[in-house]
Amino acid sequence: MFRKLVPTIVILLTSGVVAAHAAITFVYPAPKSWVKRADYLVLKLNNPAITGVRVTVNGEASGLLPIGTPEYRKAFQDFLILQAVWDKGKNDVAVEAFSGDKRIETAMNDVWYNPGGTGPVAPEYSPNRLHVPENEKLCAPCHPMNPTPAQLASSPEKGNPCFGCHKKMMSYTFVHGPAGTYSCAYCHVGDGKSKYAVVKRDAVLCNECHADKGDEFTKRKYLHGPIAAGLCEVCHDSHGSPYPAQLLMPINELCLSCHEDVGKGYHVVRTTAGAGHPLKWKIDPSRPSSGREMSCISCHNPHSGDVRYFFTNNAEDRLLLCQMCHNK
């Protein structure tokens, strides 16, 4: 559903007046597409008679959004750009356009929200692609859609062309270094079959900068499954996240998304209180000075190790792991 249903003034798009009024265009997300981030809903209204719009997502309606004032038209003309938070899975979107009090048009769309791009998607939905020729023609009056290498390498303060539309991707506590400096061209290329696609993915790309980590992991005797397969993006977001190391979810949730059986019973031991070994809600006793909460990585290295189960102390004897905290 929408957390905010207000036109954003971050992006300014312009368009000429259309003589023959076309139907409302869903610029982003495209109809029957899926997205991995909850960010914008972008509409082109294609009718200067429209003075107000109501948007309904999964049955929850906004108020009537006034878009007919001279100030709004000067800034946005016939575009409506909303900040949105989608529900996970299918989202039914209805857009009602009004001229004064009279409803003159209704447009429908449905989009699939797949947080992080890691979950299942219904087969009728295709990955959303914004940088396609028909969309770029709409954006070109205000945005440089074919920036030079020098422009792509520039800072936001000097007019980096990616910053205006994509800065929300960096509004996280933990941001990947190249993303935080808008060094987008490190990973994205403008001349690929799909514009600004990442032609390399996961470890093949990540190890170009993080070769030391790749060497560190692979010299160990045992590799965690995703590491062995070179799938960095199974756990890490390449741009930013609310969680340390740009993880897709909190540590325990991320681990249990694959190792779900661990969360169903008593882990390690059954305590005198009738519960399993604590996995959270306590300060990590293995690193008390860090102040971080206990989690799966208090005992297990998430990448690799010299012993089975990737114990952080690399000791074969499980009791030696326990003695890291229980030294009595």
Side-chain angles (χ1 to χ4, degrees):
M1 61 182 175
F2 285 99
R3 185 172 296 157
K4 294 182 179 179
L5 277 171
V6 293
T8 174
I9 60 172
V10 173
I11 311 173
L12 300 181
L13 301 172
T14 58
S15 147
V17 176
V18 181
H21 304 318
I24 293 171
T25 302
F26 286 87
V27 179
Y28 177 88
K32 285 293 181 181
S33 67
W34 68 264
V35 292
K36 65 179 182 179
R37 292 184 180 85
D39 40 27
Y40 296 111
L41 171 66
V42 182
L43 306 169
K44 188 173 187 298
L45 302 175
N46 298 316
N47 187 343
I50 295 174
T51 60
V53 175
R54 178 183 295 127
V55 179
T56 302
V57 179
N58 293 337
E60 185 170 337
S62 72
L64 188 64
L65 307 174
I67 55 90
T69 65
E71 294 80 10
Y72 184 93
R73 291 293 185 179
K74 182 178 180 181
F76 295 95
Q77 296 212 10
D78 66 342
F79 282 86
L80 177 61
I81 306 167
L82 305 175
Q83 294 181 343
V85 175
W86 305 111
D87 293 329
K88 185 176 180 179
K90 182 182 179 182
N91 292 262
D92 291 306
V93 185
V95 179
E96 300 171 276
F98 292 80
S99 180
D101 295 331
K102 183 181 178 181
R103 185 174 63 184
I104 59 175
E105 187 176 346
T106 300
M108 308 293 291
N109 185 16
D110 56 282
V111 58
W112 189 281
Y113 176 42
N114 178 21
T118 59
V121 177
E124 61 267 29
Y125 295 89
S126 302
N128 188 82
R129 293 172 56 204
L130 179 62
H131 285 283
V132 294
E134 55 267 31
N135 285 342
E136 290 203 338
K137 287 179 182 178
L138 301 177
C139 304
C142 288
H143 297 274
M145 303 313 297
N146 292 292
T148 65
Q151 288 174 316
L152 286 170
S154 65
S155 67
E157 295 78 12
K158 293 184 178 180
N160 180 284
C162 306
F163 177 75
C165 296
H166 297 292
K167 69 178 182 179
K168 190 179 178 183
M169 295 169 63
M170 308 309 147
S171 60
Y172 293 109
T173 305
F174 301 93
V175 177
H176 190 207
T181 58
Y182 284 87
S183 303
C184 308
Y186 280 8
C187 302
H188 298 269
V189 296
D191 56 356
K193 183 177 180 181
S194 178
K195 193 172 183 180
Y196 299 120
V198 179
V199 295
K200 300 177 184 178
R201 299 300 299 262
D202 290 299
V204 176
L205 176 62
C206 299
N207 285 344
E208 289 186 355
C209 293
H210 301 286
D212 58 330
K213 286 296 182 183
D215 293 341
E216 175 189 334
F217 300 154
T218 54
K219 74 180 181 181
R220 300 295 186 180
K221 185 176 179 181
Y222 295 94
L223 297 179
H224 190 205
I227 297 299
L231 300 176
C232 309
E233 294 177 74
V234 167
C235 298
H236 301 276
D237 189 291
S238 55
H239 297 103
S241 123
Y243 314 111
Q246 295 95 244
L247 293 177
L248 300 179
M249 292 179 272
I251 294 171
N252 285 3
E253 288 183 30
L254 183 62
C255 296
L256 293 176
S257 67
C258 289
H259 304 283
E260 56 184 17
D261 288 345
V262 173
K264 292 180 179 178
Y266 302 108
H267 189 52
V268 185
V269 295
R270 183 172 180 176
T271 67
T272 56
H277 193 280
L279 301 177
K280 56 183 178 179
W281 297 327
K282 293 180 179 292
I283 295 296
D284 185 347
S286 68
R287 296 186 182 180
S289 61
S290 69
R292 75 180 186 185
E293 184 181 30
M294 189 173 187
S295 68
C296 301
I297 65 170
S298 300
C299 298
H300 304 278
N301 188 311
H303 298 112
S304 61
D306 291 325
V307 297
R308 290 187 66 192
Y309 309 116
F310 315 109
F311 292 145
T312 54
N313 65 345
N314 273 318
E316 290 279 2
D317 189 337
R318 297 187 187 191
L319 288 179
L320 292 179
L321 177 70
C322 301
Q323 289 172 10
M324 290 175 61
C325 302
H326 305 282
N327 53 14
K328 293 184 179 181

